[in-house]
Amino acid sequence: MRRAPDSLPALLAEAFATFREGILLLDADDGVLAFNPAFEQAWDLLGVPLVRSLTFSENLEAAAALGRASAETWLALRRGATGAFLVPMPGGAVLRVAEYPMASGGRLVSCSDVTAERQRELALVESEYRYRLLVETITEGVIVLDRDHRVVFANPRFVSWFGGSDMALLGRALEDLVRDESRAGLAPLFGGGEPRSVEAALACPGGRFVLISAAPLKGASGRRSGHFAIITDVTELRAASERLRQSEERFRGIIETTPFGILTLDADGRVRTVNPAFLAITGAEEAAFAGADPADWLPEARPALADLFAAAETGAARGESRLRRAADLGHARIVLSRMGGAGDAWLLIVEDATEARQMEETLRHTAKLALLGEMSASLAHEISQPLNIIRLAAESALLSLDDGDAATIRGKFETIGAQSDRLRETIDYMQAFSRRDGGTRKSFDTVAAVGAAVALMTPQCSSLGISVAFAPPDRPVPVVGHPRQLEQVLVNLLRNAVDAIVERRAADPVRPGRIEVTLGEEIGRDRRPWVRIEVTDTGTGVRPEDLPHLFEPFFTRKTEGLGTGLGLSISLDLVAAMGGRIEAENLASGGCRFRATLPRAEAPPEDAAPPPAVPDDAGDAPAMTILVADDEPLATAEIKRFLERGGHRVVTVGSGRAARAALEAEHVDILVTDLSMPDGDGFQLIAETAAEYPHVAIVVVTGQPLRDREALADLEGGVDAVLRKPVSLRELAATLKGLA
Ligand code: ADP
């Protein structure tokens, strides 16, 4: 049942007291008439009492004077404001205050606490602001599409791509904003389910490649109302990847067409990839390379592959190697460097230098022959000297015959024998010198090699009035290599010294021509022993600007036809092959000095031991039948006479065919044969004899001992002994005795 109101004033008083908004009634002079509890509660936030005897403004002023900033704000707003205003109160509360004039002339002040609403509102503004900021400053394009894929919103970035304002874009379908070729590709964006991305070309000025990602938007009803799309500009990215693709293609082109073999290796040095050139060089299938060791194709690398890998840690490392080619074992130059690829740790470049190397060899050989020609003057001297002595000794022996002076005759013939040995040495030298390769390396005595070169050049120097001084050390100084090659180096240096002195003499005839050769040992900075050979001359010296070029092939300052420019280049090669170096310097006194430095060998010289002495009682081997095959009748007659004196039966023949007939006709114990004969050469005779008459011992007598020994080695043991011409009868007898 409804309670009847007691009276309106009572009702109003109750409403006044319980109203949630604060109410303050003021008289026409701003005096405080009444306020309800809600107002009192709001005012209490200021922490000062509301004094009835003061006007409301005076109350506010008093609170402001007590340091209440809120009261000061309230006062200021009250004076200036026409409608409602907000007053921030201590403690974070916010009051919404409004004043209304009343008919009585007084005023009604209402105030309500709007702190909660205010905070909600602020949060909303703030989050909206954040989103707006994001959408407007983001480097991606952002658009919102309606259900028909028409643009309803586009952010400034997206608008900037098309130019103009967003008005031009609004209402246009996304399909119209991309190029024709991209249109069909947009479909996945609008399929159901997960957000999707597609690539497209925008139909904007200048064109742009973009990645569009779209997600469906749902309206309040939960129905799909359109799409939200983010557009990323990938033009630069695409251009970069296109550039990468093109450069990759270019490099692939280079790698596939280059004549150099190119291999990539993994961190363990195993082959990962190999280019067509290397497949062609090696004649191998690509499959053979996967995980293979490059050493399988590059044996005997110098430096060794392991050292090359170590050296390549700090930069490209170069080396040389044998190269297993499709048909043969060639020669390669190799460069190894570190790589920074995924999986590819090393890059190995291989140049097939076989042909170049062969040409170099031929050139070097030609140069050697040219040098041999140049040396012929000295050689003629070397040959004519002993020949002269032989001739004189022979004639003197003949004269002595009439006197029956056996002792003199014996002496003469011994001289003839000794001079023949000297001739043999000269011939050996020429043979060794003209050979293509140096044979096996061995430890040899530099003192002997330098001495031989000095001896070879001395006659020529003497004839030009040039003195050559060489004081050899009194003990052997061994190095490893080829003695003839070191001789060749010294001959080159001496020849150059002679030429420089002769040239100098043209301008300065009184200056003495002198060449000094020294040979010494020293401890290098590596604390290892080195051998130092110097050739110092009193010639022209080298022009300072020529110094860096002296050792280049074909560099010559000599008159056309006189110099090849190869001498020093060959010398450098030969010395380098022995692990040494060679350098030149000008002397203050004029002339210059060439210095070759070689690593001293640990092992004593192999040829230092004297040849085994031939026993004097060589004659008394048991009697045998000996077949002597040689096309030089005078020589065979001498041998026959000598052997018959020793009690042997001797058959002599002048050709291979005759030798075979003799072998068939009678029992032969030993065959003594020359190698070059008419009618089937010695090699054939030896092979057949070894096969058909295995009991026959075979002794070869040859004028080309070095070359023939290698050829004979191919006959695999058929030969029992090799003697070189001119053969000594005592040596022959000792050999036969050994075979008996
Ligand atoms: P070639 O002797 O055929 O010219 P080389 O290679 O032996 O070739 O020498 C190259 C050049 O070095 C010579 O032409 C000469 O100009 C210079 N040269 C070499 N040795 C001497 C030297 N002892 N004194 C002055 N110049 C020299």
Side-chain angles (χ1 to χ4, degrees):
M1 217 178 81
R2 277 172 46 184
R3 187 165 70 96
D6 300 330
S7 64
L8 188 61
L11 214 55
L12 284 175
E14 193 185 340
F16 186 68
T18 57
F19 200 50
R20 286 226 340 260
E21 285 200 13
I23 294 170
L24 166 70
L25 298 175
L26 304 173
D27 62 17
D29 299 321
D30 199 34
V32 176
L33 292 175
F35 47 86
N36 69 350
F39 186 88
E40 191 171 15
Q41 205 179 338
W43 179 264
D44 279 351
L45 291 173
L46 288 176
V48 291
L50 186 67
V51 182
R52 282 177 190 270
S53 56
L54 298 178
T55 64
F56 185 51
S57 283
E58 282 166 350
N59 266 295
L60 285 171
E61 278 162 13
L66 285 171
R68 304 301 188 268
S70 300
E72 203 172 319
T73 309
W74 193 332
L75 198 62
L77 290 169
R78 185 162 189 255
R79 282 186 192 128
T82 47
F85 52 89
L86 296 176
V87 181
M89 298 295 279
V94 177
L95 298 182
R96 185 174 180 281
V97 179
E99 292 195 15
Y100 306 93
M102 292 189 296
S104 61
R107 298 172 74 84
L108 181 148
V109 179
S110 83
C111 86
S112 53
D113 187 341
V114 294
T115 315
E117 291 94 312
R118 196 53 213 156
Q119 267 162 2
R120 264 199 305 279
E121 212 171 88
L122 269 180
L124 200 68
V125 167
E126 205 172 296
S127 87
E128 199 193 295
Y129 174 75
R130 240 188 269 132
Y131 280 119
R132 180 164 291 275
L133 201 68
L134 187 74
V135 167
E136 294 197 340
T137 58
I138 193 169
T139 51
E140 264 78 24
V142 176
I143 52 175
V144 176
L145 304 171
D146 67 10
R147 225 172 285 138
D148 300 320
H149 311 158
R150 282 191 299 257
V151 176
V152 293
F153 169 82
N155 77 338
R157 169 60 53 134
F158 189 81
V159 173
S160 74
W161 291 338
F162 284 86
S165 87
D166 59 346
M167 296 312 287
L169 292 173
L170 296 184
R172 288 181 64 187
L174 180 64
E175 283 82 350
D176 293 338
L177 297 179
V178 301
R179 299 248 283 267
D180 295 351
E181 66 270 19
S182 298
R183 206 157 288 156
L186 296 179
L189 283 180
F190 306 114
E194 291 293 297
R196 303 281 182 80
S197 300
V198 301
E199 268 195 39
L202 286 188
C204 63
R208 225 167 254 277
F209 285 101
V210 293
L211 195 69
I212 306 178
S213 314
L217 286 174
K218 299 228 165 72
S221 63
R223 283 187 51 220
R224 189 179 296 164
S225 62
H227 282 86
F228 174 80
I230 293 185
I231 295 108
T232 311
D233 185 355
V234 292
T235 315
E236 277 303 309
L237 217 65
R238 247 179 93 127
S241 79
E242 175 64 11
R243 278 198 296 275
L244 198 68
R245 194 187 60 75
Q246 280 176 359
S247 96
E248 243 178 46
E249 205 159 86
R250 231 182 0 256
F251 278 113
R252 185 165 318 123
I254 292 172
I255 287 171
E256 299 206 331
T257 56
T258 175
F260 294 103
I262 297 179
L263 296 93
T264 62
L265 313 176
D266 65 15
D268 298 329
R270 298 278 161 171
V271 178
R272 289 195 82 230
T273 62
V274 46
N275 74 334
F278 201 63
L279 295 179
I281 292 171
T282 55
E285 295 288 323
E286 192 161 5
F289 285 94
D293 185 345
D296 293 347
W297 284 272
L298 298 167
E300 297 170 45
R302 270 190 315 142
L305 281 185
D307 293 336
L308 213 58
F309 276 107
E313 287 289 357
T314 50
R318 282 154 217 283
E320 308 218 341
S321 168
R322 305 302 300 268
L323 173 61
R324 218 176 283 295
R325 304 202 297 180
D328 57 10
L329 198 57
H331 180 84
R333 280 194 268 268
I334 51 186
V335 182
L336 180 73
S337 49
R338 258 235 174 267
M339 262 176 90
D344 295 329
W346 302 97
L347 183 71
L348 179 63
I349 300 180
V350 181
E351 180 192 4
D352 182 355
T354 314
E355 274 71 33
R357 176 73 164 230
Q358 277 161 359
M359 249 179 72
E360 254 170 47
E361 276 292 316
T362 309
L363 207 63
R364 199 168 297 159
H365 186 62
T366 313
K368 250 197 306 194
L369 292 182
L371 204 65
L372 203 60
E374 281 184 41
M375 284 173 4
S376 59
S378 294
L379 286 170
H381 176 269
E382 284 293 293
I383 293 168
S384 61
Q385 280 296 82
L387 260 185
N388 191 34
I389 298 169
I390 289 171
R391 195 197 161 106
L392 291 174
E395 279 180 14
S396 135
L398 275 177
L399 290 175
S400 302
L401 268 182
D402 299 338
D403 309 338
D405 181 356
T408 308
I409 296 173
R410 180 184 301 272
K412 296 298 163 206
F413 281 119
E414 272 168 5
T415 304
I416 291 173
Q419 292 302 311
S420 310
D421 284 345
R422 189 174 151 194
L423 273 175
R424 180 164 75 178
E425 271 175 34
T426 307
I427 291 165
D428 274 1
Y429 177 82
M430 288 169 64
Q431 282 177 339
F433 198 85
S434 58
R435 268 150 49 90
R436 252 167 207 278
D437 63 74
T440 40
R441 289 154 54 89
K442 58 175 185 178
S443 167
F444 70 91
D445 182 16
T446 48
V447 180
V450 173
V454 170
L456 190 74
M457 289 301 293
T458 303
Q460 192 197 355
C461 293
S462 310
S463 69
L464 290 167
I466 299 170
S467 70
V468 184
F470 174 49
D474 50 13
R475 61 192 178 109
V477 180
V479 299
V480 173
H482 307 293
R484 298 295 177 220
Q485 292 185 344
L486 182 62
E487 269 184 59
Q488 188 183 351
V489 171
L490 263 294
V491 167
N492 285 344
L493 297 182
L494 290 167
R495 274 217 60 90
N496 281 341
V498 169
D499 290 344
I501 290 173
V502 169
E503 192 185 332
R504 170 107 186 217
R505 194 177 279 159
D508 184 5
V510 293
R511 190 181 165 81
R514 208 179 62 239
I515 302 174
E516 193 184 346
V517 181
T518 61
L519 170 55
E521 293 177 63
E522 63 184 21
I523 299 297
R525 253 180 272 148
D526 56 0
R527 303 223 203 93
R528 289 218 283 263
W530 290 81
V531 178
R532 184 160 71 174
I533 304 167
E534 291 179 342
V535 176
T536 311
D537 65 53
T538 55
T540 53
V542 180
R543 296 188 209 178
E545 68 267 28
D546 287 351
L547 271 174
H549 307 291
L550 286 189
F551 295 93
E552 289 169 8
F554 306 111
F555 177 83
T556 179
R557 285 270 178 215
K558 292 180 189 164
T559 326
E560 183 93 25
L562 288 183
T564 57
L566 285 171
L568 287 179
S569 138
I570 292 171
S571 301
L572 178 71
D573 259 23
L574 296 179
V575 168
M578 287 189 239
R581 56 176 194 277
I582 187 166
E583 59 227 337
E585 63 175 331
N586 278 321
L587 300 177
S589 55
C592 69
R593 173 177 296 149
F594 281 77
R595 176 182 305 125
T597 323
L598 299 163
R600 188 191 197 278
E602 313 258 317
E606 283 174 30
D607 52 4
V614 177
D616 271 346
D617 60 344
D620 50 1
M624 293 177 286
T625 301
I626 301 171
L627 173 61
V628 179
D630 196 319
D631 60 347
E632 186 54 68
L634 281 177
T636 47
E638 285 308 327
I639 292 174
K640 182 174 160 75
R641 195 168 306 133
F642 173 72
L643 292 179
E644 281 175 349
R645 270 187 57 187
H648 302 295
R649 205 170 82 75
V650 180
V651 181
T652 59
V653 292
S655 74
R657 191 193 297 168
R660 278 192 293 280
L663 279 167
E664 218 166 286
E666 46 202 307
H667 178 88
V668 169
D669 296 302
I670 297 184
L671 165 68
V672 177
T673 180
D674 190 6
L675 285 176
S676 39
M677 282 184 298
D679 260 353
D681 69 2
F683 290 104
Q684 201 180 339
L685 174 63
I686 292 164
E688 286 173 8
T689 308
E692 291 167 33
Y693 309 99
H695 66 277
V696 177
I698 301 172
V699 176
V700 171
V701 179
T702 166
Q704 304 244 10
L706 288 164
R707 198 192 66 199
D708 289 345
R709 200 164 282 155
E710 280 163 25
L712 286 169
D714 293 342
L715 290 177
E716 304 226 339
V719 175
D720 296 282
V722 179
L723 300 176
R724 50 184 193 163
K725 285 181 178 177
V727 67
S728 134
L729 291 174
R730 276 201 300 159
E731 202 181 341
L732 178 62
T735 307
L736 295 182
K737 190 180 169 198
L739 292 175

